[in-house]
Amino acid sequence: MGRTSRKRHQKKKLNIKEITENEEHSLMYLKSWLLTKNCSSVYNLTPFNFFTTGRGLKTLKDIKINDILIKLPYEILITTSILSQSNVSILFSKIQYYSAQCVLAVFIIYESHLGNASKWHYYINSLPRNLTNPDFCTQKEKNLLPKFIIDYMDEFHKVCNDFRLLIKSMNNLKLNGEGHCSHCNLHLKKIITFEKYKWAYYIVNTRAIYIDEAEIETNQNINIKYPNNLALAPFLDLFNHSIYSTTHASVVTNKNGNKFYQINTLNSFNSESQVFINYGAHNSLKLYIHYGFFIPYNPLDEIYFDISDIKVCFDIPKFKLDFIISNNLQKNMAFIRDGLNYNAICTLFIMNTQLQRDHWNIKIYGNSLTSEDKIGIYNMAKLILNFKKNELLNHLINMKELKYCTQCFSIAINLIEEYITILNESYNSLCMFH
Ligand SMILES: C[S@@+](CC[C@H](N)C(=O)[O-])C[C@H]1O[C@@H](n2cnc3c(N)ncnc32)[C@H](O)[C@@H]1O
């Protein structure tokens, strides 16, 4: 993509909400608190509400390639070992195994309940109250989401399964007259509700970093599922994601033996600009499902189609379908901005060819498609593409009929619009070949 095009796309504002005065204060308190905790690297970073991305971090000085972006002492990271200092550890009996994500989520709920009595309240107060993952759509909205989004929302089951285990444990505690908060005597059952658990679960999902399991002190009193490698990282979790950023994370030890989690950037940033890190090579769908946002013009986006989509447009003779399936060509067939991906080209070639079967392998694995082959493939692709596009347009019409919708649902609408743009670009690329 050219620079002008990238800039045009980056300027698009995607349902970003305003930052409140309270939020602004909580972020400044968080920074001041960290400065008292030997985190001098946050000095030149300041939280800011950006037009295109919402809350993020702005640098107050020029940052050069290889500079340290942030360096947090290990004691500031919240890992499962924190539970040994928390009353809520009583919930995690040795009988069950819990995921690190579940343990951290429960910790956040409990510390949030403690309010200013929590040692972590500056961090807890900095966490966003509203999240935009599709799981936060209302049921009415979820019913309108296309299958390709619903099918990937597997986190919802984990939230429910975790909560079932927690309820079991809280009920057991109640039966034994245990599980009251030492701070206010409220029972944990009243503190850890499903709604709060879901929020906290996604807080961990969208903000935790991965660290080496060997760096986490094991807690003998609870069983944690493998891998136990998550950590919440105050302030560091204010960095937004860019696909154009590259970072390097490491654990460094100073001459006094103190450990730090450090991120170096392989990009440069001008003073007063937003600093980004990279959450990984995620396409828009994955970003939306796991992080509640996406970035337009993501080069990793592909619009998948499958055999049933082809069957709507064409008959597939059995001997051709058998060949396609036995070579796994039907998997992940997709439209991309430049036309079709490899598996889609091969499948449509097989569908279209008049050649005898013993010539097929050399054609698809020998990279020897003729112009005539390509014209046949692209003409078929255009029909399937129009079918996929109409499906998306119908979803859009239904989704846009909702008068009032949540921010998470608006993002789903934006995502489908982005998919339609990709299909249009793909169509234009297919048409360029005569
Ligand atoms: C680790 S947090 C980053 C800080 C976050 N923006 C905040 O306000 O606390 C990750 C979340 O930030 C948002 N985010 C990250 N990168 C973004 C981007 N490039 N554009 C829009 N939102 C982004 C998403 O909501 C994501 O779940």
Side-chain angles (χ1 to χ4, degrees):
M1 176 174 47
R3 279 177 56 197
T4 333
S5 168
R6 185 154 70 222
K7 279 206 169 124
R8 179 159 40 85
H9 281 283
Q10 280 174 346
K11 273 195 187 135
K12 197 167 166 188
K13 188 178 177 178
L14 287 171
N15 298 300
I16 300 306
K17 73 172 182 49
E18 300 304 318
I19 197 166
T20 64
E21 210 174 302
N22 262 356
E23 266 181 285
E24 211 174 301
H25 287 152
S26 64
L27 294 173
M28 291 328 291
Y29 283 132
L30 175 70
K31 177 169 169 176
S32 311
W33 176 65
L34 287 173
L35 287 171
T36 66
K37 298 264 171 208
N38 201 12
C39 303
S40 53
S41 66
V42 304
Y43 186 77
N44 284 307
L45 292 168
T46 195
F48 191 81
N49 200 34
F50 294 92
F51 178 72
T52 46
T53 61
R55 280 191 344 177
L57 287 175
K58 178 165 92 171
T59 174
L60 301 177
K61 62 163 197 184
D62 286 343
I63 294 178
K64 296 190 294 308
I65 294 174
N66 285 328
D67 276 358
I68 297 172
L69 276 189
I70 195 162
K71 186 174 169 187
L72 291 184
Y74 247 67
E75 316 80 81
I76 288 295
L77 301 183
I78 302 172
T79 66
T80 56
S81 61
I82 199 95
L83 233 65
S84 55
Q85 305 161 25
S86 169
N87 282 334
V88 86
S89 63
I90 188 168
L91 245 183
F92 299 100
S93 66
K94 255 284 190 191
I95 310 160
Q96 296 289 347
Y97 275 81
Y98 298 89
S99 67
Q101 185 152 355
C102 173
V103 171
L104 292 180
V106 168
F107 177 77
I108 290 175
I109 300 171
Y110 188 64
E111 295 301 307
S112 181
H113 163 74
L114 292 182
N116 285 349
S118 162
K119 167 181 163 201
W120 296 95
H121 72 275
Y122 290 116
Y123 176 55
I124 302 290
N125 290 344
S126 76
L127 297 173
R129 293 290 122 195
N130 297 313
L131 301 177
T132 51
N133 307 68
D135 213 357
F136 290 95
C137 286
T138 62
Q139 193 51 50
K140 199 170 172 187
E141 292 171 341
K142 279 184 186 165
N143 293 343
L144 290 171
L145 289 177
K147 192 170 170 324
F148 76 86
I149 296 182
I150 292 284
D151 282 355
Y152 280 91
M153 285 169 55
D154 46 1
E155 296 298 321
F156 178 67
H157 305 293
K158 293 187 198 150
V159 176
C160 295
N161 289 343
D162 282 0
F163 195 68
R164 226 169 279 132
L165 278 186
L166 292 171
I167 283 282
K168 209 165 138 191
S169 171
M170 290 191 282
N171 284 343
N172 279 342
L173 289 174
K174 201 156 190 204
L175 274 178
N176 297 332
E178 294 172 314
H180 292 88
C181 169
S182 58
H183 169 247
C184 66
N185 211 28
L186 205 62
H187 195 268
L188 287 175
K189 266 193 97 169
K190 292 253 177 327
I191 299 170
I192 301 167
T193 60
F194 181 73
E195 202 190 16
K196 285 186 192 157
Y197 184 71
K198 187 170 154 187
W199 167 77
Y201 179 95
Y202 276 99
I203 281 287
V204 180
N205 217 49
T206 54
R207 311 180 81 82
I209 54 168
Y210 293 105
I211 59 173
D212 184 353
E213 194 162 6
E215 304 285 350
I216 299 178
E217 237 171 79
T218 39
N219 185 332
Q220 299 303 335
N221 299 322
I222 62 174
N223 288 328
I224 310 228
K225 281 185 200 161
Y226 174 83
N228 179 10
N229 59 356
L230 292 181
L232 288 163
F235 204 84
L236 186 157
D237 64 5
L238 288 168
F239 282 120
N240 282 326
H241 164 78
S242 163
I243 37 177
Y244 303 105
S245 279
T246 317
T247 47
H248 172 70
S250 55
V251 178
V252 293
T253 309
N254 71 7
K255 58 180 187 317
N256 301 325
N258 302 320
K259 271 194 204 158
F260 295 83
Y261 181 85
Q262 175 173 309
I263 295 185
N264 289 70
T265 176
L266 304 182
N267 303 90
S268 59
F269 297 93
N270 291 334
S271 170
E272 297 295 317
S273 69
Q274 178 165 197
V275 181
F276 290 98
I277 58 171
N278 193 321
Y279 301 172
H282 304 313
N283 63 26
S284 295
L285 181 60
K286 194 159 180 200
L287 282 174
Y288 176 46
I289 287 176
H290 291 281
Y291 296 95
F293 79 104
F294 73 92
I295 304 169
Y297 221 94
N298 185 334
L300 301 171
D301 279 342
E302 300 187 318
I303 314 298
Y304 295 105
F305 62 95
D306 57 28
I307 291 289
S308 65
D309 297 316
I310 301 181
K311 279 184 174 166
V312 173
C313 308
F314 305 99
D315 286 333
I316 315 179
K318 186 171 178 317
F319 71 106
K320 291 197 170 186
L321 186 58
D322 288 348
F323 179 89
I324 291 166
I325 292 174
S326 63
N327 284 277
N328 261 332
L329 299 176
Q330 83 289 4
K331 290 213 168 133
N332 301 326
M333 294 180 291
F335 295 104
I336 53 177
R337 289 173 207 271
D338 291 341
L340 292 168
N341 73 0
Y342 176 76
N343 275 13
I345 290 178
C346 294
T347 297
L348 295 184
F349 164 74
I350 302 297
M351 298 249 336
N352 192 49
T353 186
Q354 304 292 326
L355 291 174
Q356 292 299 309
R357 194 189 155 130
D358 36 337
H359 294 282
W360 296 355
N361 274 333
I362 184 76
K363 274 282 189 181
I364 61 176
Y365 298 118
N367 200 12
S368 57
L369 295 179
T370 62
S371 299
E372 205 182 320
D373 291 331
K374 286 183 188 163
I375 290 171
I377 293 168
Y378 295 168
N379 282 340
M380 291 180 87
K382 281 190 249 174
L383 279 177
I384 303 164
L385 184 148
N386 277 331
F387 166 70
K388 291 302 283 180
K389 186 174 151 185
N390 282 334
E391 257 189 359
L392 292 178
L393 285 170
N394 284 336
H395 278 299
L396 259 192
I397 291 170
N398 292 334
M399 290 168 82
K400 284 188 171 176
E401 263 173 16
L402 266 195
K403 268 213 181 98
Y404 303 103
C405 68
T406 58
Q407 202 191 352
C408 0
F409 192 67
S410 310
I411 298 174
I413 291 180
N414 293 151
L415 179 64
I416 294 171
E417 286 169 342
E418 176 72 2
Y419 272 31
I420 292 173
T421 307
I422 297 171
L423 286 179
N424 287 339
E425 288 175 24
S426 179
Y427 191 87
N428 291 340
S429 303
L430 295 171
C431 287
M432 278 185 356
F433 195 86
H434 300 291

